Amino acid sequence: MDQNQPMSAAISPAAPPLAIDRDVNLRALNSFGIAATARTLVHIGSEADVRRLLAHPEHGRAPKLVLGGGSNLVLSRDPPAVVLRVEVKGRRLLAETAEAWIVEVGAGEVWHDVVQWTLEQGWPGLENLALIPGTAGAAPVQNIGAYGLELKDRFESLDAVDLVTGRTVTLDARACAFGYRDSVFKHDAADGGLAGKSLITRVRLRLPRPWQPVLGYLDLQRRMAETGNHAPDARTVFDWVCTIRRAKLPDPAQIGNVGSFFKNPIVSAEQCRDIIGRDPEIVHYPLPDGTVKLAAGWLIDACGWKGKSVGRAGVYERQALVLVNRGGASGAEVVTLARAIQESVYGRFGIRLEPEPVIV
Ligand code: EPU
């Protein structure tokens, strides 16, 4: 069979028709709450749905935009693509060994529900990643991370369907090429990546046994000092992370946002020394390879952006790294604000901030 032909022959004639909606307002489907219209939106509940779509006479070959929870997306216009809403459900324990619990979840499961469910089942390990908005399928795309833990630290493998051939592939951590808020799914084909080329359907997580808390992050150290509890259980770490996040980060259900809007930039030791010489207060974290990660929130705050707005897009009052929708913001307003922030940070520190979300 030609590698580039959709696997239409594999589809059972009795399969239900694809669920396709026309002219869908995406406002409720992206956590920024930006209004944009999907001319065609296809609900993907299974791998077979992807293959049915690829065999579809009208939409099979059209450009496609994969939408999970829409929590890492800025819609600056109506997407010029067929929007695929990933709704693959299911969660189960695949294996339990002396070393780990291996859990498998559908890409359309809500990430925070997965974290809560694993804890309730007695399989701890994801508690530091509580309350991160979005779906399980989106988690590997940007290698979500918080409070000293990244998805890659708990990752086993994932299944993804090739959006040209319809074939399912299983990728391990190495194939996913995880980096800081980065993976193979964020890079174009020209760059050796899979962006826009595949749809993640299932994610498998490895939760190591015996459980060991991850408590190195400053905010968690503070919690331990405040409570006097230096040996918290997983449920306590979960509660602490939820409390810390709620104090700093806006709830997308109340105020539209995509979490951190920019990545924390990584600079050379010389560049950092130079900046410290001028701004001794700068928040920075030396990395094992000799480079230094700077707190983008601090840089933006230092440029006076906290609480400011451009049109209906603003900078959150309690965390300058988070851009918010003050009500009815357009994607263009968000992008204008983001550019203005990038320019002022570059003007003062000579550092180019890189956006974390995908801008369509
Ligand atoms: N800071 C300021 N002013 C601000 C914001 C931050 O001075 O307006 C300072 C803080 O005082 C702190 C430092 O900057 O000393 C870092 O701030 P914080 O601990 O809030 O973390 P962050 O670096 O801003 C990162 C992740 C978050 C993650 C937290 C906790 C990135 C881009 N962001 O934020 O991830 O929750 O650490 O681990 O790496 C996300 O990716 O969407 C996200 C929310």
Side-chain angles (χ1 to χ4, degrees):
M1 187 175 165
D2 180 343
Q3 285 276 320
N4 293 318
Q5 286 304 304
M7 292 175 65
S8 47
I11 298 163
S12 139
L18 269 179
I20 301 180
D21 292 330
R22 305 274 176 186
D23 296 326
V24 179
N25 187 343
L26 297 172
R27 190 198 297 266
L29 301 183
N30 71 97
S31 68
F32 233 130
I34 291 171
T37 303
R39 195 141 298 282
T40 307
L41 183 142
V42 184
H43 299 266
I44 301 293
S46 65
E47 291 168 4
D49 282 348
V50 181
R51 294 197 256 276
R52 256 176 235 130
L53 170 66
L54 297 181
H56 192 280
E58 188 187 345
H59 307 306
R61 294 278 164 178
K64 297 176 184 71
L65 173 70
V66 178
L67 185 67
S71 59
N72 202 40
L73 177 71
V74 180
L75 292 164
S76 69
R77 56 181 172 157
D78 293 341
V82 172
V83 175
L84 312 189
R85 177 140 164 88
V86 183
E87 294 164 5
V88 181
K89 298 288 183 191
R91 42 199 194 192
R92 62 183 174 142
L93 182 69
L94 265 192
E96 179 174 358
T97 67
E99 285 83 42
W101 296 280
I102 310 289
V103 169
E104 182 183 78
V105 293
E109 294 283 341
V110 171
W111 174 259
H112 180 69
D113 294 351
V114 171
V115 175
Q116 265 185 314
W117 170 73
T118 50
L119 273 182
E120 280 159 16
Q121 300 299 311
W123 312 321
L126 299 177
E127 54 284 344
N128 294 49
L129 304 178
L131 275 187
I132 296 183
T135 55
V141 174
Q142 61 152 344
N143 183 24
I144 58 171
Y147 304 101
L149 194 74
E150 289 184 331
L151 182 85
K152 73 169 172 54
D153 304 321
R154 298 288 181 262
F155 183 82
E156 172 74 4
S157 64
L158 61 77
D159 293 341
V161 186
D162 184 305
L163 285 174
V164 174
T165 65
R167 287 175 198 283
T168 298
V169 289
T170 298
L171 303 184
D172 62 11
R174 201 183 147 85
C176 290
F178 292 122
Y180 165 57
R181 294 299 188 276
D182 196 28
S183 76
V184 71
F185 302 101
K186 287 191 85 172
H187 294 265
D188 294 335
D191 197 12
L194 290 173
K197 297 204 62 130
S198 61
L199 182 146
I200 296 168
T201 50
R202 247 164 268 280
V203 177
R204 285 173 287 276
L205 303 161
R206 164 177 288 269
L207 310 175
R209 299 175 73 181
W211 173 75
Q212 303 243 315
V214 177
L215 298 167
Y217 203 88
L218 187 63
D219 284 333
L220 293 173
Q221 295 279 321
R222 278 201 195 113
R223 281 270 133 178
M224 285 196 287
E226 279 161 21
T227 59
N229 182 355
H230 293 272
D233 60 12
R235 183 75 217 186
T236 304
V237 177
F238 172 89
D239 289 340
W240 285 352
V241 168
C242 290
T243 305
I244 296 164
R245 284 189 76 98
R246 288 197 175 108
K248 279 191 178 182
L249 299 168
D251 175 358
Q254 317 280 327
I255 303 173
N257 76 91
V258 289
S260 301
F261 197 92
F262 299 101
K263 294 185 189 183
N264 285 327
I266 294 167
V267 299
S268 67
E270 296 93 297
Q271 208 179 349
C272 186
R273 265 195 300 277
D274 187 43
I275 299 173
I276 291 174
R278 283 177 281 134
D279 286 278
E281 309 279 280
I282 192 165
V283 177
H284 60 288
Y285 317 94
L287 299 178
D289 65 358
T291 59
V292 183
K293 191 184 262 192
L294 306 178
W298 187 93
L299 299 171
I300 299 167
D301 198 359
C303 291
W305 279 102
K306 203 183 257 181
K308 296 272 167 60
S309 297
V310 167
R312 292 159 294 176
V315 180
Y316 192 51
E317 286 70 12
R318 278 182 265 161
Q319 165 46 299
L321 193 48
V322 178
L323 304 193
V324 293
N325 183 347
R326 301 215 186 275
S330 67
E333 282 173 314
V334 173
V335 171
T336 303
L337 172 61
R339 287 215 181 105
I341 291 171
Q342 282 171 313
E343 275 167 30
S344 69
V345 168
Y346 186 72
R348 172 151 173 207
F349 298 102
I351 290 169
R352 290 188 197 282
L353 292 180
E354 192 188 324
E356 198 186 88
V358 173
I359 298 174
V360 171

